[in-house]
Amino acid sequence: MGRLDGKIAVVTGAGSGIGRGIAVMFAKEGAKVVCASRGIPAGEETVRLIKEAGGEGIFVSTDVSDKEAIKNLHRAALEAYGNVTTLVNSAGVLVHKPFLEHTDEDIERIYETNFRGYVWTMQEFMPTLIKHGHSSILNIASISAKKPESNAYMYGAMKAGIDIMTRNLIREFSSQGVRLNVICPGPVNTNMTPENVKNSPEIQAEMCREICPVGRLGEPEDIAYGAVWLCSDEADWVNGSQIVIDGGACMMG
């Protein structure tokens, strides 16, 4: 028996990083997973990993900055599995540069994916989640929403917006059978990690001495374990919570 048996989960950003980690672990725990990703080869690779692990899932090419693509994702999920019980918003982009160098294009790109895409996806899937009842939404934010971080100003602002909006939405949707929670990951080793950090144990060790008491960068699976619990029936009384999973990075000042 898996902890997510009977769940039908849509996971955005499932082509890599935290989204892929969540999608694969959800499938291992018994959920049927609809993997949404802008990158087609990456999304197909996630489904391959799911099936290799004995799980069930499909891939739907989706750019969450495109409302029609989100509608198509919803249709595809219903056609494949007849329902959706769980939505995980994990799609995201990061622009890392000084504040005065952020261009209009940078700001729009971060807003369209990291904020508006989450809003549109929740609006699109909410009626189905309400109809099913006993459903849940998990939005992936960041410790950048809680702790100042140089050169990630717009990223942090959008993640903070998602955090507070998600927790406020429980006022409207809890009585309709939908729980909403947020995970704020810390420094996780993903495709957003700079190449010089990925490829240098020395740089990683120095980073960890400064920002992560656990002594290592997180891995997508570290976040996925928390996501499984929050979307399982074990967390039936967890609603409007912000769960920080960061190896202690928020405590480092």
Side-chain angles (χ1 to χ4, degrees):
M1 293 288 291
R3 297 164 73 192
L4 298 178
D5 283 352
K7 306 293 186 186
I8 300 167
V10 172
V11 181
T12 72
S16 63
I18 291 171
R20 173 179 282 176
I22 290 172
V24 173
M25 194 171 289
F26 272 31
K28 289 179 179 179
E29 289 290 344
K32 296 174 181 176
V33 185
V34 180
C35 302
S37 170
R38 186 162 45 193
I40 293 175
E44 291 175 342
E45 173 65 10
T46 300
V47 172
R48 186 191 70 78
L49 292 171
I50 284 172
K51 293 181 177 178
E52 189 178 78
E56 182 173 349
I58 63 168
F59 166 65
V60 182
S61 179
T62 309
D63 181 349
V64 298
S65 69
D66 180 346
K67 184 176 278 191
E68 287 305 311
I70 295 170
K71 291 181 182 294
N72 178 65
L73 173 63
H74 192 190
R75 285 192 296 269
L78 294 179
E79 287 171 5
Y81 297 123
N83 203 358
V84 175
T85 69
T86 309
L87 172 64
V88 180
N89 278 311
S90 185
V93 296
L94 172 63
V95 174
H96 205 260
K97 60 173 67 170
F99 179 70
L100 294 180
E101 294 180 15
H102 275 68
T103 65
D104 289 347
E105 290 76 16
D106 293 333
I107 295 167
E108 289 168 7
R109 180 168 170 246
I110 296 169
Y111 166 72
E112 288 171 355
T113 299
N114 295 12
F115 188 85
R116 192 182 68 187
Y118 281 47
V119 173
W120 278 353
T121 306
M122 287 191 289
Q123 287 180 327
E124 174 64 28
F125 282 88
M126 191 66 80
T128 296
L129 296 170
I130 291 170
K131 183 178 179 180
H132 177 266
H134 203 65
S135 304
S136 66
I137 293 175
L138 175 61
N139 286 328
I140 305 301
S142 169
I143 62 166
S144 295
K146 297 175 62 64
K147 177 182 177 180
E149 181 181 354
S150 298
N151 296 330
Y153 307 104
M154 294 307 303
Y155 178 83
M158 295 302 107
K159 291 298 190 180
I162 285 298
D163 175 22
I164 192 62
M165 181 180 64
T166 305
R167 291 187 286 145
N168 275 327
L169 286 174
I170 70 168
R171 298 172 181 268
E172 184 170 351
F173 296 108
S174 294
S175 63
Q176 300 179 68
V178 182
R179 295 185 299 112
L180 298 100
N181 292 291
V182 179
I183 288 179
C184 291
V188 175
N189 188 20
T190 71
N191 59 313
M192 290 186 183
T193 305
E195 287 300 319
N196 67 316
V197 176
K198 281 184 181 181
N199 299 326
S200 172
E202 293 78 13
I203 293 177
Q204 289 188 31
E206 181 61 30
M207 281 182 60
C208 289
R209 279 193 290 272
E210 294 179 2
I211 65 172
C212 195
V214 165
R216 66 172 176 86
L217 298 180
E219 296 296 335
E221 292 74 20
D222 293 311
I223 310 305
Y225 284 120
V228 166
W229 177 67
L230 283 171
C231 294
S232 74
D233 293 342
E234 298 168 8
D236 192 52
W237 212 52
V238 182
N239 192 24
S241 290
Q242 178 205 72
I243 309 295
V244 176
I245 305 177
D246 71 345
C250 268
M251 304 303 294
M252 296 300 284

